[in-house]
Amino acid sequence: SYHTAVAATNKKILVSPLQGAQQYLSAKGQPTFGFTVQWQFAGTAGPGTAHSTTAFVGQCFVDRHGKETLETVWLLREGVPSRRDAWKATRVGTSIFTRM
Protein backbone atom coordinates (compact mmCIF):
# COMPACT_ATOMS: atom_id res chain seq x y z
CA SER A 1 0.00 0.00 0.00
CA TYR A 2 1.04 3.61 -0.55
CA HIS A 3 0.32 6.61 1.66
CA THR A 4 1.12 10.20 0.71
CA ALA A 5 0.46 13.67 2.06
CA VAL A 6 1.36 15.27 -1.29
CA ALA A 7 -1.59 16.02 -3.55
CA ALA A 8 -3.12 18.46 -5.99
CA THR A 9 -6.58 17.95 -4.49
CA ASN A 10 -8.51 19.09 -1.45
CA LYS A 11 -9.91 15.57 -0.94
CA LYS A 12 -8.37 13.39 1.77
CA ILE A 13 -6.20 10.72 0.19
CA LEU A 14 -6.51 7.29 1.78
CA VAL A 15 -3.88 4.57 1.91
CA SER A 16 -4.01 3.34 -1.71
CA PRO A 17 -3.34 -0.02 -3.38
CA LEU A 18 0.12 -0.49 -4.88
CA GLN A 19 1.37 -3.23 -7.22
CA GLY A 20 4.86 -3.52 -8.59
CA ALA A 21 7.81 -5.52 -9.76
CA GLN A 22 11.56 -5.36 -9.18
CA GLN A 23 14.31 -6.57 -11.48
CA TYR A 24 16.42 -9.33 -9.99
CA LEU A 25 19.44 -7.91 -8.25
CA SER A 26 22.34 -7.37 -10.58
CA ALA A 27 25.92 -7.97 -9.58
CA LYS A 28 26.17 -4.31 -8.56
CA GLY A 29 22.92 -4.33 -6.52
CA GLN A 30 21.30 -1.34 -8.26
CA PRO A 31 17.95 -2.88 -9.40
CA THR A 32 15.31 -1.24 -11.57
CA PHE A 33 11.64 -1.42 -10.57
CA GLY A 34 8.17 -0.23 -11.42
CA PHE A 35 4.91 0.13 -9.52
CA THR A 36 1.45 1.57 -9.95
CA VAL A 37 -0.79 3.24 -7.38
CA GLN A 38 -4.57 3.47 -7.72
CA TRP A 39 -5.40 6.53 -5.64
CA GLN A 40 -8.31 6.23 -3.24
CA PHE A 41 -10.02 9.28 -1.76
CA ALA A 42 -12.33 9.74 1.25
CA GLY A 43 -15.97 9.51 0.21
CA THR A 44 -15.39 6.89 -2.53
CA ALA A 45 -15.41 3.15 -2.09
CA GLY A 46 -15.14 -0.06 -4.04
CA PRO A 47 -13.48 -1.14 -7.29
CA GLY A 48 -13.49 1.31 -10.15
CA THR A 49 -13.88 4.41 -7.99
CA ALA A 50 -10.26 5.55 -7.99
CA HIS A 51 -9.95 9.03 -9.50
CA SER A 52 -6.43 8.57 -10.81
CA THR A 53 -3.59 6.11 -11.27
CA THR A 54 0.15 6.76 -11.15
CA ALA A 55 2.83 4.59 -12.74
CA PHE A 56 6.33 4.92 -11.27
CA VAL A 57 9.53 3.52 -12.84
CA GLY A 58 12.97 3.89 -11.38
CA GLN A 59 16.16 2.50 -9.99
CA CYS A 60 17.42 1.82 -6.48
CA PHE A 61 20.89 3.20 -5.84
CA VAL A 62 22.89 2.04 -2.83
CA ASP A 63 25.85 4.19 -1.80
CA ARG A 64 29.06 2.91 -0.24
CA HIS A 65 27.54 3.33 3.26
CA GLY A 66 24.50 1.18 2.39
CA LYS A 67 22.05 4.12 2.11
CA GLU A 68 19.29 3.33 -0.40
CA THR A 69 17.81 5.99 -2.69
CA LEU A 70 14.94 5.26 -5.07
CA GLU A 71 14.96 7.64 -8.03
CA THR A 72 11.75 7.56 -10.08
CA VAL A 73 9.91 9.13 -12.97
CA TRP A 74 6.11 8.99 -12.83
CA LEU A 75 3.03 9.49 -14.98
CA LEU A 76 -0.25 10.31 -13.25
CA ARG A 77 -3.47 9.82 -15.23
CA GLU A 78 -6.56 11.51 -13.82
CA GLY A 79 -10.00 10.39 -14.91
CA VAL A 80 -11.81 12.95 -17.09
CA PRO A 81 -15.44 12.97 -18.24
CA SER A 82 -14.75 12.87 -22.00
CA ARG A 83 -12.07 12.45 -24.68
CA ARG A 84 -12.28 16.19 -25.23
CA ASP A 85 -10.66 16.66 -21.80
CA ALA A 86 -7.95 14.00 -22.29
CA TRP A 87 -5.29 16.61 -23.16
CA LYS A 88 -5.18 17.76 -19.53
CA ALA A 89 -5.47 14.36 -17.87
CA THR A 90 -1.80 13.27 -17.66
CA ARG A 91 0.97 14.74 -15.51
CA VAL A 92 4.64 13.76 -15.43
CA GLY A 93 7.21 14.25 -12.69
CA THR A 94 10.03 12.81 -10.66
CA SER A 95 10.23 11.60 -7.07
CA ILE A 96 13.16 10.52 -4.91
CA PHE A 97 12.47 8.19 -1.99
CA THR A 98 14.78 7.47 0.94
CA ARG A 99 14.33 5.16 3.91
CA MET A 100 13.23 6.92 7.11
Side-chain angles (χ1 to χ4, degrees):
S1 60
Y2 190 98
H3 190 228
T4 186
V6 179
T9 181
N10 294 333
K11 295 179 182 176
K12 180 181 178 188
I13 300 176
L14 305 175
V15 174
S16 299
L18 176 149
Q19 291 188 350
Q22 176 183 308
Q23 174 195 35
Y24 290 109
L25 288 176
S26 66
K28 296 187 180 202
Q30 316 283 354
T32 59
F33 61 90
F35 63 93
T36 59
V37 177
Q38 285 240 286
W39 298 106
Q40 302 294 316
F41 299 91
T44 61
T49 59
H51 295 272
S52 59
T53 301
T54 302
F56 294 82
V57 295
Q59 186 169 1
C60 175
F61 295 100
V62 183
D63 71 14
R64 65 179 187 220
H65 303 291
K67 181 181 177 186
E68 301 165 320
T69 301
L70 305 179
E71 294 197 14
T72 67
V73 174
W74 52 262
L75 291 171
L76 181 146
R77 178 63 184 218
E78 182 179 3
V80 292
S82 70
R83 287 183 67 202
R84 187 176 68 211
D85 298 315
W87 67 272
K88 62 181 178 180
T90 303
R91 296 181 185 104
V92 62
T94 60
S95 293
I96 297 174
F97 300 90
T98 56
R99 197 177 291 271
M100 295 189 69

